[in-house]
Amino acid sequence: MPVLEVGGTHVTAALVDLSGGRTVGEVVRRPLPAQGTAEEILDGIAATAARIDAPAGAAWGVAVPGPFDYASGIALFEDVGKFDALYGVDVRAELSRRMRPVPGALRFLNDADAFGIGECVVGAAAGHERAVCITLGSGVGSAFLDRGEPVNDGPLVPPDGSAHLLSYDGRPLEETVSRRAIRAAYAGAVPADQGLVGDVPDVPGVPDASGVPGVPGVPDVHAIAELARGGDRDARAALEHAFRALGVALAPWLARFGATALVVGGSMAASWDLIEGPLRSGAGTGAGAGRAVRLRFRAAERAHDAPLLGAAAWAARPQSAAVAGHGPHVG
């Protein structure tokens, strides 16, 4: 089953063997010009797809961040900092015209949903009737899954099935739980006259190392995690505050949805040793107090290929299957 995963800065193409729960052959990952023209972006995706040995007429699973009309294949990116040139473009039609061999179908789904489905098929959520899968990176992505099917509306899930629309302490959740928020919290906790902020080396690949205005040299989250492990109290406090806040925000929805597993993936999941405790503590507040005891807290088992496996599983379903899609995902 051929699949594409479109990220904010890259596109990945692969062939997936669903029966074996694995990718087959080379997984091709190429940079994508998120700020480029529509032609540059679409040509880049099609060129990456051509690098794998997909059969003619195959149904492709395509995992794409939102905002996106997944049923019609039309991009709705606008003022989200990526792919703005695709706004209103019929991506299904344009890719079908560009891809060789010509696909039989392009079945789109939200990238966070693809991750969640993948973890349900062969990962940390396997065997759980209801699971919530979270991705932590530049923001908070989420998938609420009932027997492997994404649930994106109704009274049991947050609006649009999207955790990033939740709030904490009267503010949007991502102002507390995100790469930018954690770095800003750490920067604010370290007095400038201690010299620690300026003395921390810039993170390779991060322009001016911060993304936190006016504070040069702020370490990235993985470096803050290392500082926390080394005994830096401010680093540990910044991480504990963020992940406990995530648990508090999710607690009522975990209870309402009846989840038995909470799976965390994304770039921050590598710091699971620092995430699990505060997350579990936060999820045990209020309405979630009793359920948190029975809830399984798990780091993603297929962090690198879960979205590819999920996209393949989605493409293999009957065309009449419900469309998996919700609002903007910035994780």
Side-chain angles (χ1 to χ4, degrees):
M1 183 71 65
V3 297
L4 287 164
E5 179 197 358
V6 179
T9 59
H10 70 277
V11 57
T12 303
L15 288 173
V16 171
D17 172 13
L18 274 176
S19 63
R22 61 190 180 91
T23 57
V24 179
E26 182 185 9
V27 175
V28 179
R29 180 182 172 103
R30 298 181 62 178
L32 198 61
Q35 309 301 329
T37 65
E39 290 72 20
E40 289 171 335
I41 297 168
L42 293 164
D43 286 347
I45 296 172
T48 305
R51 294 278 302 276
I52 65 171
D53 191 20
W60 288 67
V62 186
V64 185
F68 198 94
D69 185 332
Y70 296 91
S72 67
I74 294 176
L76 301 175
F77 306 106
E78 187 175 28
D79 298 327
V80 294
K82 58 187 176 185
F83 305 140
D84 282 3
L86 291 180
Y87 180 78
V89 171
D90 186 336
V91 177
R92 175 177 285 123
E94 292 295 332
L95 285 181
S96 296
R97 183 167 63 84
R98 288 170 165 82
M99 288 171 63
R100 294 293 181 273
V102 178
L106 295 172
R107 298 177 182 166
F108 296 90
L109 77 164
N110 180 268
D111 55 353
D113 284 336
F115 161 74
I117 293 171
E119 287 291 332
C120 282
V121 171
V122 291
H128 289 270
E129 184 171 311
R130 289 197 171 183
V132 176
C133 297
I134 299 294
T135 58
L136 297 176
S138 59
V140 182
S142 61
F144 287 73
L145 298 130
D146 182 357
R147 293 179 289 273
E149 294 284 339
V151 180
N152 295 319
D153 53 38
L156 301 183
V157 299
D160 219 21
S162 297
H164 82 271
L165 295 177
L166 299 176
S167 60
Y168 174 77
D169 199 22
R171 300 186 301 167
L173 178 62
E174 289 185 347
E175 291 187 13
T176 302
V177 189
S178 64
R179 174 175 175 264
R180 182 182 181 86
I182 291 171
R183 298 177 82 184
Y186 179 68
V190 181
D193 59 8
Q194 288 186 14
L196 294 179
V197 171
D199 290 344
V200 176
D202 287 356
V203 179
V206 180
D208 297 326
S210 127
V212 181
V215 188
V218 179
D220 209 345
V221 175
H222 69 86
I224 293 174
E226 286 303 313
L227 290 168
R229 294 184 185 103
D232 186 320
R233 293 182 180 179
D234 291 325
R236 182 170 288 275
L239 295 172
E240 288 183 349
H241 176 66
F243 299 132
R244 188 178 189 282
L246 177 63
V248 170
L250 287 174
W253 297 103
L254 293 168
R256 190 174 300 181
F257 190 63
T260 58
L262 175 60
V263 178
V264 178
S267 59
M268 293 187 198
S271 301
W272 182 243
D273 57 315
L274 299 170
I275 292 174
E276 182 181 7
L279 180 63
R280 186 185 293 272
S281 172
T285 61
R291 179 164 295 277
V293 176
R294 301 184 298 274
L295 189 67
R296 294 290 301 275
F297 292 78
R298 304 283 302 278
E301 291 181 0
R302 305 296 293 263
H304 299 294
D305 60 2
L308 302 175
L309 297 170
W314 189 253
R317 296 177 183 185
Q319 274 188 294
S320 59
V323 173
H326 45 62
H329 165 59
V330 293

